[in-house]
Amino acid sequence: DTAVSQTPKYLVTQMGNDKSIKCEQNLGHDTMYWYKQDSKKFLKIMFSYNNKELIINETVPNRFSPKSPDKAHLNLHINSLELGDSAVYFCASSRETLPGNEQFFGPGTRLTVL
Amino acid sequence: GENVEQHPSTLSVQEGDSAVIKCTYSDSASNYFPWYKQELGKGPQLIIDIRSNVGEKKDQRIAVTLNKTAKHFSLHITETQPEDSAVYFCAASKRTGGFKTIFGAGTRLFVKA
């Protein structure tokens, strides 16, 4: 019954490693997002995909590469992890890309880089 | 650039009192203003929203007001309950290719029983 799911929930890794976070939504939505929430709870959009196509790419280091194999999935791969990447990453989805569409958030993935 | 400012960062009220959280936005093209509640260990969840052609909206104990001229919008929670304790985020959205949502920094609300 989970609408937006993410795996893993927790991820602890060493600096320099490469890791992936997976996201799936079963709501039939066309649009998916990745957000980063830092230790001060500040929530910032990173990427947005609509029907597998990238439509928003904020100023994010190219070590971060989203991939959308189909419109129900949006995965986030991070290369050469740095200490500053430690945060909670939220996946979200919405029915379409127009304002006024509620975004449904996943439970988050807490990434800790040591 | 686009910015949403939110105040206060922390708010503590007694159960039964009202709580008000205020936000201002910078981009006059913003036309949709959602409010999200984030409980501990969970993702944000939409609690109420308002569009730019509406000045006020109410849903039970929660109301939101919007002043487009001043670029201000506020969340009002009446008869607060301990389960209202959470972090609340305001946000402003506009159409830009896709639609982009800028979130405020969040307000941590404590409701004391």
Side-chain angles (χ1 to χ4, degrees):
Chain A
D1 283 323
T2 305
V4 182
S5 58
Q6 296 178 229
T7 54
K9 190 168 175 60
Y10 300 96
L11 186 53
V12 181
T13 189
Q14 298 286 334
M15 251 188 342
N17 284 350
D18 303 338
K19 290 293 178 185
S20 292
I21 307 171
K22 295 186 176 182
C23 178
E24 177 182 1
Q25 54 94 3
N26 62 7
L27 297 165
H29 287 168
D30 287 342
T31 307
M32 296 184 73
Y33 313 81
W34 276 109
Y35 286 87
K36 179 180 180 181
Q37 186 172 49
D38 62 23
S39 58
K40 294 183 179 178
K41 293 291 188 182
F42 192 65
L43 197 62
K44 186 169 181 184
I45 189 165
M46 300 172 68
F47 302 102
S48 174
Y49 271 70
N50 186 56
N51 275 322
K52 303 191 298 175
E53 285 191 32
L54 180 67
I55 53 172
I56 292 176
N57 183 351
E58 288 299 284
T59 311
V60 178
N62 57 15
R63 297 182 295 105
F64 290 77
S65 51
K67 284 189 172 50
S68 183
D70 55 62
K71 73 174 192 177
H73 295 85
L74 180 62
N75 304 323
L76 183 66
H77 188 76
I78 315 170
N79 288 327
S80 304
L81 278 155
E82 300 177 357
L83 293 176
D85 297 333
S86 295
V88 180
Y89 292 83
F90 286 100
C91 176
S93 72
S94 65
R95 189 163 53 89
E96 52 189 9
T97 60
L98 297 173
N101 281 274
E102 177 181 356
Q103 292 184 52
F104 291 81
F105 284 80
T109 295
R110 183 175 293 278
L111 171 65
T112 303
V113 182
L114 304 174
Chain B
E2 303 147 332
N3 189 40
V4 175
E5 293 192 5
Q6 182 171 349
H7 300 281
S9 56
T10 305
L11 179 58
S12 185
V13 300
Q14 204 66 38
E15 183 178 1
D17 287 351
S18 294
V20 180
I21 302 170
K22 298 183 178 183
C23 290
T24 60
Y25 60 99
S26 60
D27 191 340
S28 55
S30 298
N31 57 4
Y32 173 64
F33 306 91
W35 285 86
Y36 286 83
K37 176 183 180 182
Q38 185 177 20
E39 296 178 338
L40 195 62
K42 297 183 179 179
Q45 185 173 12
L46 182 75
I47 54 171
I48 195 168
D49 56 13
I50 191 166
R51 285 169 171 72
S52 58
N53 58 350
V54 175
E56 186 173 352
K57 183 176 178 180
K58 191 172 181 181
D59 182 4
Q60 299 182 341
R61 296 187 297 108
I62 295 173
V64 59
T65 58
L66 171 65
N67 182 331
K68 275 201 70 179
T69 304
K71 296 183 194 169
H72 289 170
F73 57 117
S74 301
L75 178 73
H76 304 251
I77 307 174
T78 58
E79 300 171 30
T80 53
Q81 301 166 2
E83 50 266 37
D84 294 331
S85 296
V87 179
Y88 290 82
F89 292 95
C90 63
S93 295
K94 67 173 183 179
R95 182 73 185 272
T96 168
F99 89 84
K100 185 173 171 181
T101 300
I102 306 296
F103 283 83
T107 295
R108 191 178 293 276
L109 174 65
F110 297 97
V111 180
K112 295 175 286 188

